Amino acid sequence: MSVLIYAENTGGKFKKSVFEAVSYARAIADQNNTSLTAVSIGNVDATELALLSKYGVNKVLNVSGDKLKEFVNQAYASVIAEAAKKEGSAVVVLSNTFSGRGLAPRIGIKLEAGVADGAVALPEQTGGSFKVKKTAFSGKAFATVELTSAIKVIALVPNSYKVVETGGTAQVEDFRVETKASDFKAMIKEIVRSTDKVSLPDAEIVVSGGRGLKGPENWGMIEELAELLGAATACSKPVSDAGWRPHSEHVGQTGIAVSPNLYIAVGISGAIQHLAGVSSSKVIVVINKDPEAPFFKVADYGIVGDAFEVLPKLITAVKEYKA
Ligand code: FAD
């Protein structure tokens, strides 16, 4: 038995969520006294691949070539499943990203494996079964699912497991898989990047604004604070519905679910539908002028005050701290 981690790259680079998934997979491998193999698909250079060994990968299967340069759901799932077969992997770990969530069930079918997406903690192992704590109902609750199948596929939520450096070196092996025409029925034709800013689903810090900010002209404060903190910007649903911000920033039940280390909510009431997408954040800071705002009930730190007074002070304080 071995453990396999799919090391997803973005433009040839690994994000922090990959190193979290590697550290998580390493811990599972250690619990089972076995080795950890990573599979990388697309054109990732040797220096980047070598980074995986820092977090405990013993071997890297490198799949390159033009056909698989860009993400293709079905084809990538076939490659990862073949890598798992080659390595005799009993556990396959992915990041619970947009692509990871699409891949996990497909790999599950190919390997006849049990699948737990949205995992937030290491599995509890008894005999051959894994109990995995995962988010449920768009992040409003946690559930524990039991995987009893011989092979398990687990997709780990970004920012839910710490990166652990172990050191070591990994041997890199070129790995070829014969893909089928049916693997390429749905393909990405073009990727249009809407922004160069920090990507919201992967962000470690998110600064989010609600209707309390009164209008799009006041978002400069949110953006300035986000830039100072290296954070992504987000918003509540009414804000994106009103066109103050793009829909890609809308978090919550009907938007993106985020789980950053720090979520700063400014002028957001904390409706249940909003909380559904942010409640697994590690630390929540709420700035609201209404002391009765429901958001304060789930906040780790609350500032009762007018955003138009508090934010400029916060921005000045962060600037002074950084100076
Ligand atoms: P409001 O509820 O208007 O709250 C504004 C807050 O700002 C208030 O708490 C107020 O005290 C505070 N405020 C006002 N002025 C200031 C100031 N100067 N300084 C500081 N604070 C100030 N919402 C989402 O966000 N995401 C979703 O995914 C989502 N999905 C939904 C799905 C369904 C089916 C439904 C029915 C609703 C959904 N909603 C969602 C909407 C949700 O119910 C709330 O209406 C919404 O979250 C409220 O947005 P808000 O907090 O920005 O605005």
Side-chain angles (χ1 to χ4, degrees), residues 163-226:
V163 173
V164 183
E165 275 196 39
T166 56
T169 48
Q171 134 211 10
V172 179
E173 206 178 277
D174 283 333
F175 180 51
R176 286 189 180 279
V177 176
E178 288 303 321
T179 46
K180 300 189 288 283
S182 58
D183 280 339
F184 294 90
K185 274 189 185 158
M187 303 222 359
I188 293 174
K189 289 275 183 206
E190 191 189 1
I191 295 175
V192 182
R193 303 224 178 270
S194 57
T195 169
D196 287 333
K197 290 191 300 187
V198 179
S199 132
L200 181 54
D202 303 316
E204 286 180 53
I205 305 176
V206 174
V207 183
S208 189
R211 222 156 25 183
L213 282 161
K214 318 289 183 218
E217 66 281 6
N218 297 321
W219 241 262
M221 296 187 294
I222 296 282
E223 291 196 316
E224 190 175 0
L225 181 61

Coordinates of all heavy atoms in Angstrom, one line a residue, residues 163-226:
V163 N 1.2 23.2 6.7 CA 2.4 22.7 5.9 C 3.5 22.3 6.8 O 3.8 23.1 7.7 CB 2.8 23.9 4.9 CG1 4.1 23.5 4.2 CG2 1.8 24.3 3.9
V164 N 4.0 21.1 6.6 CA 5.1 20.6 7.5 C 6.3 20.2 6.6 O 6.2 19.4 5.7 CB 4.6 19.3 8.2 CG1 5.7 18.9 9.2 CG2 3.3 19.5 9.0
E165 N 7.4 20.9 6.9 CA 8.6 20.6 6.1 C 9.3 19.4 6.7 O 9.6 19.4 7.9 CB 9.5 21.8 6.1 CG 9.2 22.8 5.0 CD 10.3 23.8 4.8 OE1 11.5 23.4 4.8 OE2 10.0 25.0 4.6
T166 N 9.6 18.5 5.9 CA 10.3 17.3 6.4 C 11.7 17.1 5.8 O 12.5 16.4 6.4 CB 9.5 16.0 6.0 OG1 9.4 16.0 4.6 CG2 8.1 16.0 6.7
G167 N 11.9 17.8 4.7 CA 13.2 17.6 4.0 C 13.2 16.3 3.2 O 12.2 15.6 3.2
G168 N 14.3 16.1 2.6 CA 14.5 14.8 1.9 C 14.6 15.1 0.4 O 14.4 16.2 -0.1
T169 N 14.8 14.0 -0.4 CA 14.9 14.2 -1.8 C 13.9 13.2 -2.5 O 13.7 12.1 -1.9 CB 16.3 13.9 -2.4 OG1 16.7 12.7 -1.8 CG2 17.2 15.0 -2.1
A170 N 13.4 13.5 -3.6 CA 12.5 12.6 -4.3 C 13.0 12.3 -5.7 O 13.5 13.2 -6.4 CB 11.1 13.3 -4.4
Q171 N 12.8 11.1 -6.1 CA 13.3 10.7 -7.4 C 12.1 11.1 -8.4 O 10.9 10.9 -8.0 CB 13.6 9.2 -7.4 CG 13.1 8.4 -8.5 CD 12.8 6.9 -8.0 OE1 12.8 6.6 -6.8 NE2 12.5 6.1 -8.9
V172 N 12.5 11.7 -9.5 CA 11.4 12.1 -10.5 C 11.5 11.2 -11.6 O 12.5 10.9 -12.2 CB 11.7 13.6 -11.0 CG1 10.6 14.0 -12.0 CG2 11.7 14.6 -9.8
E173 N 10.3 10.6 -12.0 CA 10.2 9.6 -13.0 C 9.2 10.1 -14.1 O 8.1 10.6 -13.7 CB 9.6 8.4 -12.3 CG 9.9 7.1 -13.0 CD 9.3 6.0 -12.1 OE1 9.9 5.5 -11.1 OE2 8.2 5.5 -12.5
D174 N 9.6 10.0 -15.3 CA 8.6 10.4 -16.4 C 7.6 9.3 -16.4 O 7.9 8.1 -16.4 CB 9.3 10.6 -17.7 CG 10.0 11.9 -17.8 OD1 9.5 12.8 -17.1 OD2 11.0 12.0 -18.5
F175 N 6.3 9.7 -16.5 CA 5.2 8.7 -16.5 C 4.3 8.9 -17.7 O 3.9 10.0 -17.9 CB 4.5 8.8 -15.2 CG 3.3 7.9 -15.0 CD1 3.5 6.5 -15.2 CD2 2.0 8.3 -14.6 CE1 2.4 5.6 -15.0 CE2 1.0 7.5 -14.5 CZ 1.2 6.1 -14.6
R176 N 4.1 7.9 -18.5 CA 3.3 8.0 -19.7 C 2.0 7.2 -19.5 O 2.1 6.1 -19.1 CB 4.1 7.5 -20.9 CG 5.1 8.5 -21.4 CD 5.7 8.1 -22.7 NE 6.7 9.0 -23.0 CZ 6.5 10.2 -23.6 NH1 5.3 10.5 -23.9 NH2 7.5 11.1 -23.8
V177 N 0.9 7.8 -19.9 CA -0.3 7.1 -19.9 C -1.0 7.3 -21.2 O -1.0 8.4 -21.8 CB -1.3 7.7 -18.8 CG1 -2.6 7.0 -18.8 CG2 -0.6 7.6 -17.4
E178 N -1.5 6.2 -21.8 CA -2.2 6.2 -23.0 C -3.6 6.7 -22.7 O -4.4 6.0 -22.1 CB -2.3 4.8 -23.7 CG -1.0 4.3 -24.2 CD -0.4 5.2 -25.3 OE1 -1.2 5.8 -26.1 OE2 0.8 5.4 -25.3
T179 N -3.9 8.0 -23.1 CA -5.2 8.5 -22.9 C -6.1 8.1 -24.1 O -5.6 7.9 -25.2 CB -5.2 10.0 -22.8 OG1 -4.4 10.5 -23.8 CG2 -4.6 10.4 -21.4
K180 N -7.4 8.1 -23.9 CA -8.4 7.7 -24.9 C -9.0 9.0 -25.5 O -9.1 10.0 -24.8 CB -9.5 6.8 -24.3 CG -8.9 5.5 -23.7 CD -10.1 4.6 -23.4 CE -10.9 5.0 -22.2 NZ -10.4 4.8 -20.9
A181 N -9.6 8.9 -26.7 CA -10.2 10.1 -27.3 C -11.4 10.5 -26.4 O -11.7 11.7 -26.3 CB -10.7 9.7 -28.7
S182 N -12.1 9.6 -25.8 CA -13.2 9.9 -24.9 C -12.8 10.7 -23.7 O -13.6 11.4 -23.1 CB -13.9 8.6 -24.5 OG -13.0 7.8 -23.8
D183 N -11.5 10.7 -23.4 CA -11.0 11.5 -22.2 C -11.0 13.0 -22.6 O -10.9 13.9 -21.7 CB -9.6 11.1 -21.9 CG -9.5 9.9 -21.0 OD1 -10.6 9.5 -20.4 OD2 -8.5 9.2 -21.0
F184 N -11.1 13.3 -23.9 CA -11.0 14.7 -24.3 C -12.3 15.3 -24.9 O -12.3 16.2 -25.7 CB -9.8 14.9 -25.3 CG -8.5 14.6 -24.7 CD1 -8.0 13.3 -24.7 CD2 -7.8 15.6 -24.1 CE1 -6.8 13.0 -24.1 CE2 -6.6 15.3 -23.5 CZ -6.1 14.0 -23.5
K185 N -13.4 14.7 -24.5 CA -14.7 15.2 -25.0 C -15.0 16.6 -24.6 O -15.6 17.4 -25.3 CB -15.8 14.2 -24.5 CG -16.0 13.0 -25.4 CD -17.2 12.3 -24.9 CE -17.4 11.0 -25.7 NZ -18.2 10.0 -24.9
A186 N -14.6 16.9 -23.4 CA -14.8 18.3 -22.9 C -13.5 18.9 -22.6 O -12.7 18.4 -21.8 CB -15.7 18.3 -21.6
M187 N -13.2 20.0 -23.3 CA -11.8 20.6 -23.2 C -11.9 22.1 -22.9 O -12.8 22.7 -23.3 CB -11.0 20.4 -24.5 CG -10.9 18.9 -24.8 SD -9.4 18.4 -25.4 CE -8.3 19.7 -25.5
I188 N -10.9 22.6 -22.2 CA -10.8 24.0 -22.0 C -10.2 24.6 -23.2 O -9.1 24.2 -23.6 CB -10.0 24.3 -20.7 CG1 -10.7 23.8 -19.5 CG2 -9.7 25.8 -20.6 CD1 -10.0 23.9 -18.2
K189 N -10.9 25.6 -23.8 CA -10.4 26.2 -25.0 C -9.5 27.4 -24.7 O -8.5 27.7 -25.4 CB -11.5 26.6 -25.9 CG -12.3 25.5 -26.6 CD -11.6 25.0 -27.8 CE -12.4 23.9 -28.5 NZ -11.5 23.1 -29.3
E190 N -9.9 28.1 -23.7 CA -9.2 29.4 -23.4 C -9.4 29.7 -21.9 O -10.4 29.4 -21.3 CB -9.8 30.5 -24.2 CG -9.0 31.8 -24.2 CD -9.8 32.9 -24.8 OE1 -11.0 32.7 -25.3 OE2 -9.3 34.0 -24.9
I191 N -8.3 30.2 -21.3 CA -8.4 30.6 -19.9 C -8.3 32.1 -19.9 O -7.3 32.7 -20.3 CB -7.3 30.0 -19.0 CG1 -7.6 28.4 -19.0 CG2 -7.3 30.5 -17.6 CD1 -6.5 27.6 -18.2
V192 N -9.3 32.8 -19.4 CA -9.2 34.3 -19.3 C -9.1 34.6 -17.8 O -10.0 34.3 -17.0 CB -10.5 34.9 -19.9 CG1 -10.5 36.4 -19.8 CG2 -10.8 34.4 -21.3
R193 N -8.0 35.2 -17.5 CA -7.7 35.6 -16.1 C -8.4 37.0 -15.9 O -8.2 37.9 -16.6 CB -6.3 35.7 -15.8 CG -5.5 34.4 -16.1 CD -4.5 34.1 -15.0 NE -3.9 32.8 -15.4 CZ -4.4 31.6 -15.0 NH1 -5.4 31.5 -14.3 NH2 -3.8 30.5 -15.4
S194 N -9.4 37.0 -14.9 CA -10.1 38.2 -14.7 C -9.3 39.2 -13.9 O -9.6 40.4 -13.9 CB -11.4 37.9 -14.0 OG -11.2 37.2 -12.8
T195 N -8.3 38.7 -13.1 CA -7.6 39.6 -12.3 C -6.2 39.1 -11.9 O -6.0 37.9 -12.0 CB -8.4 39.9 -11.0 OG1 -7.5 40.5 -10.0 CG2 -8.8 38.6 -10.3
D196 N -5.3 39.9 -11.6 CA -4.0 39.5 -11.1 C -3.9 39.4 -9.6 O -2.9 39.1 -9.0 CB -2.9 40.4 -11.6 CG -2.7 40.3 -13.1 OD1 -3.0 39.2 -13.6 OD2 -2.3 41.3 -13.7
K197 N -5.1 39.7 -9.0 CA -5.0 39.8 -7.5 C -5.0 38.4 -6.9 O -5.2 37.4 -7.6 CB -6.3 40.5 -7.0 CG -6.2 42.0 -7.4 CD -7.3 42.8 -6.7 CE -8.7 42.3 -7.1 NZ -9.8 43.1 -6.6
V198 N -4.9 38.3 -5.6 CA -4.9 37.0 -4.9 C -6.2 36.3 -5.2 O -7.3 36.9 -5.1 CB -4.7 37.2 -3.4 CG1 -4.7 35.9 -2.6 CG2 -3.5 38.1 -3.0
S199 N -6.1 35.0 -5.5 CA -7.2 34.2 -5.9 C -8.1 33.9 -4.6 O -7.5 33.4 -3.6 CB -6.8 33.0 -6.6 OG -7.4 31.8 -6.1
L200 N -9.4 34.2 -4.7 CA -10.2 34.1 -3.5 C -10.3 32.7 -2.9 O -10.1 32.5 -1.7 CB -11.6 34.6 -3.9 CG -12.7 34.6 -2.8 CD1 -12.2 35.4 -1.6 CD2 -14.0 35.3 -3.3
P201 N -10.5 31.6 -3.7 CA -10.6 30.3 -3.0 C -9.4 29.9 -2.3 O -9.4 29.1 -1.4 CB -10.9 29.3 -4.2 CG -11.4 30.2 -5.3 CD -10.7 31.5 -5.2
D202 N -8.2 30.3 -2.8 CA -6.9 29.9 -2.2 C -6.4 30.9 -1.1 O -5.4 30.6 -0.5 CB -5.8 29.8 -3.3 CG -6.2 28.9 -4.4 OD1 -6.8 27.8 -4.1 OD2 -6.0 29.2 -5.5
A203 N -7.1 32.0 -1.0 CA -6.5 33.1 -0.1 C -6.4 32.7 1.3 O -7.2 32.0 1.9 CB -7.3 34.3 -0.3
E204 N -5.3 33.1 1.9 CA -5.1 32.9 3.4 C -5.8 34.0 4.2 O -6.1 33.8 5.3 CB -3.6 32.9 3.7 CG -3.0 31.6 3.3 CD -1.5 31.6 3.6 OE1 -1.2 31.8 4.8 OE2 -0.7 31.4 2.7
I205 N -5.9 35.1 3.6 CA -6.6 36.3 4.2 C -7.6 36.8 3.2 O -7.3 37.0 2.1 CB -5.6 37.4 4.7 CG1 -4.5 36.8 5.5 CG2 -6.4 38.5 5.4 CD1 -3.4 37.8 5.9
V206 N -8.8 37.1 3.7 CA -9.9 37.6 2.9 C -10.4 38.9 3.6 O -10.8 38.8 4.7 CB -11.0 36.6 2.6 CG1 -12.2 37.3 1.8 CG2 -10.5 35.4 1.9
V207 N -10.5 40.0 2.8 CA -11.2 41.2 3.3 C -12.5 41.3 2.5 O -12.5 41.4 1.3 CB -10.3 42.4 3.2 CG1 -11.0 43.6 3.8 CG2 -9.0 42.3 3.8
S208 N -13.6 41.3 3.2 CA -14.9 41.2 2.6 C -15.8 42.3 3.0 O -15.9 42.7 4.1 CB -15.5 39.8 3.0 OG -16.7 39.6 2.3
G209 N -16.5 42.9 2.0 CA -17.4 44.0 2.3 C -18.9 43.7 2.0 O -19.2 42.9 1.1
G210 N -19.8 44.3 2.8 CA -21.2 44.1 2.6 C -21.9 45.5 2.3 O -21.2 46.5 2.0
R211 N -23.2 45.4 2.4 CA -24.0 46.6 2.0 C -23.7 47.8 2.9 O -24.0 48.9 2.6 CB -25.5 46.2 2.1 CG -26.3 46.7 1.0 CD -27.5 46.0 0.6 NE -28.2 45.3 1.6 CZ -29.3 44.6 1.4 NH1 -29.8 44.6 0.2 NH2 -29.9 43.9 2.3
G212 N -23.2 47.5 4.1 CA -22.8 48.6 5.0 C -21.8 49.5 4.4 O -21.6 50.7 4.9
L213 N -21.2 49.2 3.3 CA -20.2 50.1 2.7 C -20.9 51.1 1.8 O -20.2 51.9 1.2 CB -19.1 49.3 2.0 CG -18.1 48.7 2.9 CD1 -17.3 47.6 2.3 CD2 -17.1 49.8 3.4
K214 N -22.2 51.0 1.6 CA -23.0 52.0 0.9 C -22.9 52.0 -0.6 O -23.9 52.4 -1.3 CB -22.8 53.4 1.5 CG -22.7 53.6 2.9 CD -24.0 53.3 3.7 CE -23.8 53.6 5.2 NZ -24.6 52.6 5.9
G215 N -21.8 51.8 -1.2 CA -21.7 51.8 -2.6 C -20.3 51.5 -3.1 O -19.4 51.4 -2.3
P216 N -20.2 51.2 -4.4 CA -18.9 50.7 -5.0 C -17.8 51.7 -4.9 O -16.6 51.4 -4.8 CB -19.3 50.5 -6.5 CG -20.5 51.2 -6.8 CD -21.3 51.3 -5.5
E217 N -18.2 53.0 -4.8 CA -17.2 54.0 -4.7 C -16.4 53.9 -3.4 O -15.3 54.6 -3.2 CB -17.8 55.4 -4.8 CG -18.8 55.9 -3.7 CD -20.2 55.3 -3.8 OE1 -20.4 54.4 -4.7 OE2 -21.0 55.6 -3.0
N218 N -16.9 53.2 -2.4 CA -16.2 53.1 -1.1 C -15.3 51.8 -1.0 O -14.8 51.5 0.1 CB -17.2 53.1 0.0 CG -18.0 54.4 0.1 OD1 -17.4 55.4 -0.2 ND2 -19.2 54.3 0.3
W219 N -15.1 51.1 -2.1 CA -14.4 49.8 -2.0 C -12.9 50.0 -2.0 O -12.1 49.1 -1.8 CB -14.8 48.9 -3.2 CG -15.3 47.6 -2.6 CD1 -14.7 46.5 -2.4 CD2 -16.6 47.4 -2.1 NE1 -15.5 45.5 -1.8 CE2 -16.7 46.1 -1.6 CE3 -17.8 48.2 -1.9 CZ2 -17.8 45.6 -1.0 CZ3 -18.9 47.7 -1.3 CH2 -18.9 46.4 -0.9
G220 N -12.5 51.3 -2.2 CA -11.0 51.6 -2.2 C -10.4 51.2 -0.8 O -9.3 50.6 -0.8
M221 N -11.2 51.4 0.2 CA -10.7 51.0 1.6 C -10.5 49.5 1.7 O -9.5 49.0 2.3 CB -11.7 51.5 2.7 CG -12.0 52.9 2.8 SD -13.0 53.4 4.2 CE -14.6 52.6 3.8
I222 N -11.5 48.8 1.2 CA -11.4 47.3 1.2 C -10.2 46.8 0.4 O -9.4 46.0 0.9 CB -12.7 46.7 0.6 CG1 -13.9 47.0 1.5 CG2 -12.5 45.1 0.5 CD1 -14.1 46.3 2.8
E223 N -10.0 47.4 -0.8 CA -8.9 47.0 -1.6 C -7.5 47.4 -1.0 O -6.6 46.6 -1.1 CB -9.1 47.6 -3.0 CG -10.2 47.0 -3.7 CD -10.3 47.2 -5.2 OE1 -10.0 48.3 -5.6 OE2 -10.6 46.2 -5.9
E224 N -7.5 48.6 -0.4 CA -6.2 49.0 0.2 C -5.8 48.1 1.3 O -4.7 47.6 1.4 CB -6.3 50.5 0.7 CG -5.0 51.0 1.0 CD -5.0 52.5 1.4 OE1 -6.1 53.1 1.4 OE2 -3.9 53.0 1.7
L225 N -6.8 47.8 2.2 CA -6.5 46.9 3.3 C -6.1 45.5 2.8 O -5.1 44.9 3.3 CB -7.7 46.8 4.3 CG -7.5 45.9 5.5 CD1 -6.4 46.5 6.4 CD2 -8.8 45.8 6.3
A226 N -6.8 45.0 1.8 CA -6.5 43.7 1.2 C -5.1 43.7 0.6 O -4.3 42.8 0.9 CB -7.5 43.3 0.2

